[in-house]
Coordinates of all heavy atoms in Angstrom, one line a residue:
Chain A
S2 N -7.9 9.6 -3.5 CA -6.8 9.3 -2.6 C -6.3 10.6 -1.9 O -5.5 10.5 -1.0 CB -5.5 8.7 -3.4 OG -5.1 9.5 -4.3
Y33 N 6.8 11.9 -5.0 CA 7.6 11.0 -5.8 C 6.9 10.8 -7.2 O 5.7 10.8 -7.3 CB 7.6 9.7 -5.1 CG 8.0 9.7 -3.6 CD1 7.1 10.0 -2.7 CD2 9.2 9.3 -3.3 CE1 7.4 10.1 -1.3 CE2 9.5 9.4 -1.9 CZ 8.7 9.7 -1.0 OH 9.0 9.7 0.4
Y35 N 6.9 8.1 -10.4 CA 7.2 6.8 -10.9 C 6.6 6.6 -12.4 O 5.7 7.2 -12.7 CB 6.4 5.8 -10.1 CG 7.3 5.5 -8.8 CD1 7.1 6.3 -7.7 CD2 8.0 4.3 -8.6 CE1 7.8 6.1 -6.4 CE2 8.8 4.1 -7.5 CZ 8.7 5.0 -6.5 OH 9.3 4.7 -5.2
Q37 N 5.5 3.7 -15.1 CA 5.0 2.2 -15.4 C 4.8 2.0 -16.8 O 3.7 2.4 -17.3 CB 3.8 1.9 -14.5 CG 3.5 0.4 -14.6 CD 2.2 0.1 -13.8 OE1 1.2 0.9 -13.6 NE2 2.1 -1.2 -13.3
L39 N 4.0 -0.6 -20.0 CA 2.9 -1.5 -20.2 C 3.2 -2.8 -19.4 O 4.2 -3.5 -19.7 CB 2.7 -1.8 -21.6 CG 1.5 -2.7 -21.9 CD1 0.3 -2.0 -21.5 CD2 1.4 -3.0 -23.5
D40 N 2.3 -3.1 -18.4 CA 2.4 -4.4 -17.7 C 3.7 -4.6 -17.0 O 4.2 -5.7 -16.9 CB 2.0 -5.5 -18.6 CG 0.6 -5.6 -18.9 OD1 -0.2 -5.0 -18.1 OD2 0.2 -6.2 -19.9
Q41 N 4.4 -3.5 -16.7 CA 5.7 -3.7 -15.9 C 5.5 -3.1 -14.5 O 4.5 -2.6 -14.1 CB 6.7 -2.8 -16.7 CG 7.0 -3.2 -18.1 CD 7.7 -4.6 -18.3 OE1 8.6 -4.9 -17.5 NE2 7.1 -5.4 -19.0
G42 N 6.5 -3.3 -13.9 CA 6.6 -2.6 -12.4 C 6.8 -1.2 -12.5 O 6.9 -0.7 -13.5
L43 N 6.8 -0.6 -11.3 CA 7.0 0.8 -11.2 C 8.5 1.2 -11.2 O 9.1 0.6 -10.2 CB 6.2 1.4 -10.2 CG 4.7 1.7 -10.4 CD1 3.9 0.3 -10.4 CD2 4.1 2.6 -9.3
Q44 N 8.9 2.1 -11.9 CA 10.4 2.6 -11.8 C 10.3 3.8 -11.2 O 9.7 4.9 -11.7 CB 11.0 2.6 -13.3 CG 10.9 1.2 -13.9 CD 11.8 0.2 -13.2 OE1 12.9 0.6 -12.7 NE2 11.4 -1.0 -13.0
F45 N 11.2 4.1 -10.3 CA 11.3 5.4 -9.5 C 12.0 6.4 -10.3 O 13.1 6.1 -10.9 CB 12.0 5.2 -8.2 CG 12.5 6.4 -7.6 CD1 11.5 7.2 -7.0 CD2 13.9 6.7 -7.3 CE1 11.9 8.4 -6.4 CE2 14.2 7.8 -6.7 CZ 13.2 8.7 -6.2
Q48 N 12.4 12.2 -6.5 CA 11.6 12.6 -5.4 C 12.0 14.0 -4.9 O 13.1 14.5 -5.0 CB 11.9 11.8 -4.2 CG 11.1 12.0 -2.9 CD 11.9 12.0 -1.6 OE1 13.1 11.5 -1.6 NE2 11.3 12.4 -0.5
R55 N 15.5 15.3 -3.6 CA 16.1 14.5 -2.6 C 16.5 13.2 -3.0 O 17.5 12.6 -2.4 CB 15.0 14.2 -1.4 CG 14.7 15.4 -0.6 CD 15.7 15.8 0.3 NE 15.5 16.9 1.1 CZ 16.2 17.2 2.2 NH1 17.3 16.6 2.5 NH2 15.9 18.2 3.0
A56 N 16.1 12.7 -4.0 CA 16.5 11.4 -4.6 C 16.2 11.3 -6.0 O 15.2 11.9 -6.5 CB 15.9 10.3 -3.9
K57 N 17.1 10.7 -6.7 CA 16.9 10.6 -8.1 C 17.2 9.1 -8.6 O 18.1 8.5 -8.1 CB 17.9 11.5 -9.0 CG 17.7 11.6 -10.4 CD 18.7 12.6 -11.0 CE 18.2 14.0 -11.0 NZ 19.0 14.9 -11.9
G58 N 16.3 8.6 -9.5 CA 16.3 7.3 -9.8 C 16.8 7.2 -11.3 O 17.6 8.0 -11.8
L88 N 2.4 4.9 -18.0 CA 1.6 5.5 -17.1 C 2.5 6.1 -16.0 O 3.5 5.5 -15.5 CB 0.8 4.4 -16.4 CG -0.3 4.8 -15.4 CD1 -1.3 5.7 -16.2 CD2 -1.1 3.5 -15.0
F90 N 3.0 7.9 -12.5 CA 2.4 8.1 -11.3 C 3.1 9.1 -10.4 O 4.2 9.2 -10.3 CB 2.4 6.8 -10.5 CG 1.4 5.7 -10.8 CD1 1.6 4.6 -11.5 CD2 0.0 6.0 -10.4 CE1 0.7 3.7 -12.0 CE2 -1.0 5.0 -10.9 CZ -0.7 3.9 -11.6
W96 N 7.2 13.6 5.5 CA 8.6 13.3 5.5 C 9.0 12.3 6.4 O 8.6 12.4 7.7 CB 9.3 14.7 5.8 CG 10.8 14.5 5.9 CD1 11.6 14.6 7.1 CD2 11.7 14.2 4.9 NE1 12.9 14.3 6.8 CE2 13.0 14.0 5.5 CE3 11.5 13.9 3.5 CZ2 14.1 13.7 4.7 CZ3 12.7 13.6 2.8 CH2 13.9 13.6 3.3
G97 N 9.8 11.3 6.1 CA 10.4 10.3 6.9 C 9.3 9.3 7.3 O 9.7 8.4 7.9
Q98 N 8.1 9.4 7.0 CA 7.2 8.4 7.4 C 7.4 7.1 6.5 O 7.7 7.2 5.4 CB 5.8 8.9 7.4 CG 5.2 9.2 6.1 CD 4.4 8.0 5.4 OE1 4.4 7.0 6.0 NE2 3.8 8.2 4.3
N99 N 7.1 6.0 7.1 CA 7.4 4.8 6.5 C 6.2 3.9 6.2 O 6.1 2.7 6.3 CB 8.5 4.0 7.3 CG 9.8 4.7 7.4 OD1 10.3 5.1 6.4 ND2 10.1 4.9 8.6
Y100 N 5.0 4.6 6.1 CA 3.7 3.9 6.0 C 3.4 3.7 4.5 O 2.3 3.3 4.3 CB 2.6 4.7 6.8 CG 2.8 4.7 8.3 CD1 3.6 5.7 8.9 CD2 2.4 3.6 9.0 CE1 3.8 5.6 10.4 CE2 2.8 3.5 10.4 CZ 3.3 4.6 11.0 OH 3.6 4.6 12.4
G101 N 4.3 4.0 3.7 CA 4.0 3.7 2.3 C 3.4 5.1 1.7 O 3.0 6.0 2.4
Y102 N 3.2 5.2 0.5 CA 2.8 6.3 -0.1 C 1.4 6.3 -0.4 O 0.7 5.3 -0.4 CB 3.5 6.6 -1.5 CG 4.9 6.5 -1.7 CD1 5.4 6.0 -2.9 CD2 5.7 6.8 -0.6 CE1 6.8 6.0 -3.0 CE2 7.2 6.6 -0.9 CZ 7.8 6.2 -2.0 OH 9.0 6.2 -2.2
T103 N 0.8 7.5 -0.7 CA -0.5 7.6 -1.3 C -0.3 8.0 -2.8 O 0.3 9.0 -3.1 CB -1.3 8.8 -0.6 OG1 -1.4 8.4 0.8 CG2 -2.7 8.9 -1.2
F104 N -0.8 7.2 -3.6 CA -0.7 7.4 -5.0 C -1.8 8.1 -5.6 O -3.0 8.1 -5.2 CB -0.6 6.1 -5.7 CG 0.7 5.4 -5.7 CD1 1.1 4.5 -4.5 CD2 1.7 5.5 -6.7 CE1 2.4 4.0 -4.5 CE2 2.9 4.9 -6.6 CZ 3.3 4.2 -5.5
G105 N -1.5 8.9 -6.7 CA -2.6 9.4 -7.5 C -3.0 8.4 -8.6 O -2.6 7.3 -8.5
S106 N -3.9 8.8 -9.4 CA -4.5 7.9 -10.3 C -3.7 7.8 -11.6 O -4.0 6.9 -12.5 CB -6.0 8.3 -10.6 OG -6.0 9.6 -11.1
G107 N -2.7 8.5 -11.8 CA -1.7 8.4 -12.9 C -2.1 9.3 -14.1 O -3.3 9.6 -14.3
R109 N -1.8 8.7 -18.1 CA -1.3 7.8 -19.2 C -0.9 8.6 -20.4 O -1.7 9.4 -21.0 CB -2.5 7.0 -19.6 CG -2.1 6.0 -20.8 CD -3.1 4.9 -21.0 NE -3.2 3.8 -20.0 CZ -2.1 3.0 -19.7 NH1 -1.0 3.0 -20.4 NH2 -2.4 2.1 -18.6
Chain B
Y33 N 11.1 -1.8 5.5 CA 9.6 -2.0 5.5 C 9.4 -2.8 4.2 O 10.0 -2.5 3.2 CB 8.9 -0.7 5.6 CG 9.3 0.1 6.8 CD1 10.4 1.0 6.8 CD2 8.6 0.0 8.0 CE1 10.8 1.7 7.8 CE2 8.9 0.7 9.2 CZ 10.1 1.5 9.0 OH 10.4 2.2 10.2
F35 N 6.0 -3.9 1.6 CA 4.6 -3.6 1.4 C 4.0 -4.6 0.2 O 4.8 -5.0 -0.6 CB 4.5 -2.1 0.8 CG 5.0 -1.1 1.7 CD1 6.4 -0.8 1.7 CD2 4.3 -0.4 2.6 CE1 6.9 0.2 2.6 CE2 4.8 0.5 3.4 CZ 6.1 0.8 3.4
Y37 N 1.1 -3.9 -2.7 CA 0.2 -2.9 -3.3 C -0.7 -3.6 -4.4 O -0.1 -4.6 -5.0 CB 1.0 -1.8 -4.0 CG 1.3 -0.6 -3.2 CD1 2.6 -0.7 -2.5 CD2 0.6 0.5 -3.0 CE1 3.0 0.4 -1.6 CE2 0.9 1.4 -2.2 CZ 2.2 1.5 -1.5 OH 2.5 2.5 -0.7
Q39 N -3.1 -3.2 -7.8 CA -3.4 -2.4 -9.0 C -4.5 -3.0 -9.7 O -4.2 -3.9 -10.6 CB -2.2 -2.1 -9.8 CG -2.5 -1.0 -10.8 CD -1.2 -0.8 -11.7 OE1 -0.5 -1.6 -12.1 NE2 -1.1 0.6 -12.0
S42 N -8.5 -0.5 -12.9 CA -8.5 0.9 -12.8 C -7.2 1.7 -12.9 O -7.0 2.9 -13.0 CB -9.4 1.5 -11.7 OG -8.6 1.2 -10.4
R43 N -6.2 0.8 -12.5 CA -4.8 1.3 -12.6 C -4.4 2.1 -11.3 O -3.3 2.5 -11.1 CB -4.4 2.2 -13.8 CG -4.5 1.4 -15.1 CD -3.4 0.3 -15.1 NE -3.4 -0.3 -16.5 CZ -2.5 -1.2 -16.8 NH1 -1.6 -1.6 -16.0 NH2 -2.7 -1.7 -17.9
Q44 N -5.3 2.3 -10.4 CA -5.0 3.0 -9.2 C -4.1 2.1 -8.3 O -4.3 0.8 -8.2 CB -6.3 3.3 -8.3 CG -6.2 3.9 -7.0 CD -5.7 5.3 -7.1 OE1 -6.2 6.1 -7.9 NE2 -4.8 5.7 -6.4
M45 N -3.1 2.5 -7.6 CA -2.2 1.9 -6.8 C -2.8 1.9 -5.3 O -3.0 3.0 -4.8 CB -0.8 2.4 -6.8 CG -0.1 2.2 -8.1 SD 0.2 0.5 -8.5 CE 1.6 0.2 -7.2
I46 N -3.1 0.8 -4.7 CA -3.8 0.8 -3.4 C -2.9 -0.1 -2.4 O -2.6 -1.2 -2.7 CB -5.2 0.0 -3.6 CG1 -6.1 0.8 -4.6 CG2 -5.8 -0.1 -2.2 CD1 -7.3 0.1 -5.0
L47 N -2.6 0.5 -1.3 CA -1.8 -0.2 -0.3 C -2.6 -1.4 0.3 O -3.7 -1.0 0.8 CB -1.4 0.8 0.7 CG -0.5 0.2 1.9 CD1 0.8 -0.4 1.4 CD2 -0.2 1.2 2.9
R50 N 1.4 -3.8 5.2 CA 2.7 -3.3 5.4 C 3.3 -4.1 6.5 O 2.7 -4.5 7.5 CB 2.5 -1.8 5.8 CG 3.8 -1.2 6.4 CD 3.6 0.3 6.8 NE 4.7 0.9 7.4 CZ 4.9 0.9 8.7 NH1 4.1 0.2 9.5 NH2 6.0 1.6 9.2
E52 N 6.9 -4.2 9.1 CA 8.1 -3.7 9.5 C 9.1 -4.8 9.8 O 8.8 -5.8 10.5 CB 7.9 -2.9 10.8 CG 6.9 -1.7 10.5 CD 6.3 -1.2 11.9 OE1 6.5 -1.8 13.0 OE2 5.7 -0.1 11.7
M89 N -3.4 -6.6 -10.4 CA -1.9 -6.9 -10.4 C -1.5 -6.6 -8.9 O -2.0 -5.6 -8.3 CB -1.2 -5.9 -11.4 CG -1.1 -6.3 -12.8 SD 0.0 -7.7 -13.0 CE 1.5 -6.8 -12.9
F91 N 1.8 -6.0 -6.4 CA 3.2 -5.5 -6.4 C 3.7 -5.7 -5.0 O 3.2 -5.1 -4.0 CB 3.4 -4.2 -7.0 CG 3.1 -4.1 -8.4 CD1 1.9 -3.5 -8.9 CD2 4.1 -4.3 -9.4 CE1 1.7 -3.4 -10.2 CE2 3.8 -4.2 -10.7 CZ 2.6 -3.7 -11.1
M95 N 11.1 -0.7 1.2 CA 11.7 0.6 1.6 C 12.5 0.6 2.7 O 12.3 0.0 3.7 CB 10.4 1.4 2.0 CG 10.7 2.8 2.5 SD 9.3 3.7 3.2 CE 8.4 4.2 1.8
K96 N 13.7 1.1 2.4 CA 14.8 1.2 3.5 C 14.3 2.2 4.6 O 13.5 3.1 4.4 CB 16.0 1.8 3.0 CG 16.9 0.8 2.0 CD 18.3 1.5 1.8 CE 18.3 2.8 1.1 NZ 19.7 3.1 1.0
H97 N 14.7 1.9 5.8 CA 14.5 2.8 6.9 C 15.6 3.8 6.9 O 16.9 3.4 7.4 CB 14.3 2.1 8.2 CG 14.1 3.1 9.4 ND1 12.9 3.6 9.7 CD2 14.9 3.5 10.3 CE1 13.0 4.4 10.7 NE2 14.3 4.4 11.1
V98 N 15.6 5.1 6.5 CA 16.6 6.0 6.6 C 16.1 7.3 7.1 O 15.1 7.7 6.7 CB 17.0 6.2 5.0 CG1 18.2 7.1 5.0 CG2 17.5 5.0 4.4
H99 N 17.0 7.7 8.0 CA 16.5 9.1 8.6 C 17.0 10.2 7.7 O 18.0 10.1 7.0 CB 17.3 9.2 10.0 CG 16.6 8.3 11.0 ND1 15.4 8.4 11.5 CD2 17.2 7.2 11.6 CE1 15.2 7.4 12.4 NE2 16.2 6.7 12.5
N100 N 16.2 11.2 7.7 CA 16.5 12.4 7.0 C 16.9 12.3 5.5 O 17.9 12.9 5.0 CB 17.7 13.2 7.7 CG 17.3 13.6 9.0 OD1 16.2 14.0 9.3 ND2 18.2 13.4 10.0
A101 N 16.3 11.3 4.9 CA 16.4 11.0 3.5 C 15.2 10.7 2.8 O 14.1 10.5 3.5 CB 17.6 10.1 3.3
G102 N 15.2 10.6 1.6 CA 14.0 10.1 0.8 C 13.7 8.7 1.0 O 14.6 7.8 0.9
N103 N 12.5 8.3 1.2 CA 12.1 6.9 1.5 C 11.6 6.3 0.2 O 10.4 6.3 0.0 CB 11.1 6.8 2.6 CG 11.7 7.1 3.9 OD1 12.9 7.3 4.0 ND2 11.0 7.0 5.0
M104 N 12.4 5.9 -0.7 CA 12.1 5.4 -2.0 C 11.5 4.0 -1.8 O 12.0 3.1 -1.1 CB 13.3 5.4 -2.9 CG 13.0 5.0 -4.3 SD 14.5 5.0 -5.3 CE 15.3 3.4 -4.7
L105 N 10.5 3.7 -2.6 CA 9.9 2.4 -2.8 C 10.5 1.7 -4.0 O 10.5 2.3 -5.0 CB 8.4 2.3 -2.9 CG 7.5 2.4 -1.6 CD1 6.1 2.6 -2.1 CD2 7.6 1.1 -0.9
T106 N 11.0 0.4 -3.8 CA 11.4 -0.4 -4.8 C 10.5 -1.4 -5.2 O 10.2 -2.2 -4.2 CB 12.9 -0.9 -4.6 OG1 13.8 0.1 -4.4 CG2 13.4 -1.7 -5.7
F107 N 9.9 -1.6 -6.3 CA 8.8 -2.5 -6.6 C 9.3 -3.7 -7.4 O 10.3 -3.7 -8.1 CB 7.9 -1.8 -7.5 CG 7.0 -0.8 -6.8 CD1 7.3 0.5 -6.7 CD2 5.8 -1.2 -6.3 CE1 6.5 1.5 -6.1 CE2 4.9 -0.3 -5.6 CZ 5.3 1.1 -5.5
G108 N 8.7 -4.8 -7.1 CA 8.9 -6.0 -7.9 C 8.2 -5.9 -9.2 O 7.5 -4.8 -9.5
G109 N 8.2 -6.9 -10.1 CA 7.6 -6.9 -11.4 C 6.1 -7.0 -11.4 O 5.5 -6.9 -12.4
G110 N 5.7 -7.5 -10.3 CA 4.1 -7.8 -10.2 C 3.7 -9.2 -10.6 O 4.4 -9.9 -11.2
R112 N 0.0 -11.0 -11.7 CA -1.4 -10.7 -12.2 C -2.2 -11.8 -11.5 O -2.0 -13.1 -11.9 CB -1.5 -10.7 -13.7 CG -2.9 -10.3 -14.2 CD -2.9 -10.4 -15.7 NE -2.0 -9.4 -16.2 CZ -2.1 -8.2 -16.4 NH1 -3.3 -7.6 -15.9 NH2 -1.3 -7.3 -16.9

Side-chain angles (χ1 to χ4, degrees):
Chain A
S2 68
Y33 308 80
Y35 280 79
Q37 184 182 28
L39 186 62
D40 288 337
Q41 301 291 313
L43 280 75
Q44 298 296 318
F45 172 68
Q48 184 223 351
R55 286 290 181 167
K57 188 178 274 192
L88 191 56
F90 282 106
W96 176 249
Q98 66 96 355
N99 301 302
Y100 292 95
Y102 307 154
T103 301
F104 280 86
S106 56
R109 177 165 297 286
Chain B
Y33 304 86
F35 304 84
Y37 277 87
Q39 187 179 42
S42 67
R43 297 292 186 175
Q44 179 72 44
M45 293 291 289
I46 302 166
L47 177 63
R50 169 183 178 269
E52 298 163 349
M89 281 286 283
F91 292 98
M95 177 188 282
K96 286 195 299 186
H97 178 80
V98 181
H99 291 291
N100 299 321
N103 290 358
M104 184 183 77
L105 272 172
T106 300
F107 286 89
R112 185 180 302 280

